[in-house]
């Protein structure tokens, strides 16, 4: 049987990020993807034109419907929008016996806010403590901890600051630095530095969602956190290399790059 992976995230009407990216990633990696929609966005290659969060009861009902009947081997969270939704999802994760990958989505690729300022404390005190792996980018690290990373060496400081809130592991994504795309995975004792070439491709919409979903997919297959993160990094690097133009702005990564290569 295929492992079941659940994404708890917002919908991206343009199809490049959010639950659409999550489900494409899960399909590409051979797991069964399921979804709990937390918010609906009007979104395209130019940015986010509107966002409407769902009631916490609707999110809880979707989650219970899937988990209680089908079961999950991993859960990934993305856009949670408000303090109420963050707290509800954290409560649901705490009662689920499966690894949780928390992508603390705060700002979109285009700079649009996807998390209310009032929700930041709930992310710190409720959501991060139930995370198996947290995957903040450098903007989200600054938003959550106040630590601003400008050099590769400062990734350690960022990891320590996020780990202080309680996740078992943190993956600090250094993609906004210059040079190679360098990420640091740490549990406070063990460190894994992941490097990949940087591709000169502006079409990278959905990178964070895709990486977190790939980690969840590999965890659901029974891999350790370092193994899952390394495999996910390899997948997302190929997806970034294959990113394509869409509309008038920033296009998405190519979730099907490995499948298409296998068919050619």
């Amino acid at each position: 049987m295929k492992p079941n992976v659940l994404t708890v995230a917002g919908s991206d009407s343009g199809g490049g990020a959010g639950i659409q990216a999550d489900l494409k990633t899960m399909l590409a990696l051979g797991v069964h993807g399921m979804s709990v929609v937390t918010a609906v966005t009007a979104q395209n290659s130019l940015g986010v034109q509107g966002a409407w969060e769902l009631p916490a009861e609707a999110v809880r009902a979707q989650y219970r419907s899937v988990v209680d009947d089908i079961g999950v081997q991993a859960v990934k969270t993305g856009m949670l929008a408000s303090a109420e939704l963050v707290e509800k999802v954290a409560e649901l994760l705490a009662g689920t016996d499966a690894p949780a990958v928390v992508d603390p989505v705060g700002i979109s690729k285009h700079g649009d806010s996807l998390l209310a300022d009032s929700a930041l404390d709930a992310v710190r005190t409720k959501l991060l403590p139930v995370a198996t792996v947290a995957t903040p980018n450098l903007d989200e690290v600054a938003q959550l901890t106040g630590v601003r990373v400008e050099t590769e060496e400062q990734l350690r400081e960022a990891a320590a600051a996020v780990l202080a809130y309680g996740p078992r592991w943190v993956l600090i994504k250094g993609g906004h630095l210059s040079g190679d795309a360098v990420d640091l995975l740490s549990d406070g004792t063990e460190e894994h530095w992941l490097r990949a070439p940087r591709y000169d491709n502006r079409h990278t919409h959905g990178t964070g969602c895709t990486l977190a979903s790939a980690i969840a997919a590999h965890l659901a297959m029974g891999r350790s956190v370092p193994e899952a993160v390394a495999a996910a990094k390899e997948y997302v690097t190929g997806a970034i290399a294959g990113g394509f133009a869409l509309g008038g702005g920033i296009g998405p990564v190519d979730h099907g790059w490995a499948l298409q290569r296998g068919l050619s």
Side-chain angles (χ1 to χ4, degrees), residues 3-202:
N4 300 320
V5 183
L6 177 63
T7 170
V8 183
S11 168
D12 171 5
S13 54
I19 57 169
Q20 285 81 356
D22 298 338
L23 293 172
K24 291 174 188 178
T25 298
M26 293 168 192
L27 176 66
L29 294 176
V31 300
H32 175 64
M34 308 175 292
S35 62
V36 169
V37 181
T38 60
V40 175
T41 69
Q43 188 172 168
N44 56 26
S45 70
L46 300 173
V48 179
Q49 292 80 44
W52 300 266
E53 68 182 79
L54 269 70
E57 179 54 28
V59 170
R60 188 203 69 80
Q62 291 175 81
Y63 191 99
R64 289 265 60 94
S65 175
V66 170
V67 173
D68 293 347
D69 172 48
I70 301 169
V72 291
Q73 279 69 58
V75 183
K76 174 260 176 182
T77 71
M79 177 185 177
L80 299 181
S82 68
E84 184 183 15
L85 288 185
V86 170
E87 290 174 6
K88 175 56 67 178
V89 170
E91 177 188 319
L92 291 164
L93 290 177
T96 303
D97 185 19
V101 180
V102 170
D103 186 13
V105 174
I107 303 167
S108 79
K109 181 72 67 181
H110 303 88
D112 301 294
S113 177
L114 298 176
L115 182 72
D117 288 342
S118 59
L120 284 172
D121 199 50
V123 172
R124 297 182 191 107
T125 63
K126 306 286 188 185
L127 189 61
L128 289 177
V130 298
T132 307
V133 192
T135 64
N137 63 29
L138 299 186
D139 288 338
E140 290 154 358
V141 168
Q143 196 178 34
L144 289 166
T145 71
V147 173
R148 300 194 177 277
V149 176
E150 294 176 356
T151 66
E152 192 176 304
E153 292 71 31
Q154 290 175 303
L155 292 174
R156 277 199 181 99
E157 181 187 354
V162 177
L163 285 168
Y165 290 115
R168 279 180 45 208
W169 291 84
V170 64
L171 178 68
I172 305 293
K173 300 180 292 193
H176 293 178
L177 299 175
S178 58
D180 286 349
V182 180
D183 305 327
L184 173 59
L185 174 68
S186 175
D187 67 351
T189 304
E190 208 176 303
E191 277 187 357
H192 299 268
W193 294 83
L194 298 102
R195 296 178 183 276
R198 184 179 297 278
Y199 292 99
D200 184 19
N201 184 357
R202 67 190 289 260

Side-chain angles (χ1 to χ4, degrees), residues 227-254:
E227 290 169 341
V229 171
K233 172 86 167 176
E234 183 178 344
Y235 168 73
V236 82
T237 299
I240 290 169
F244 56 94
L246 193 73
I250 299 172
V253 301
D254 184 359

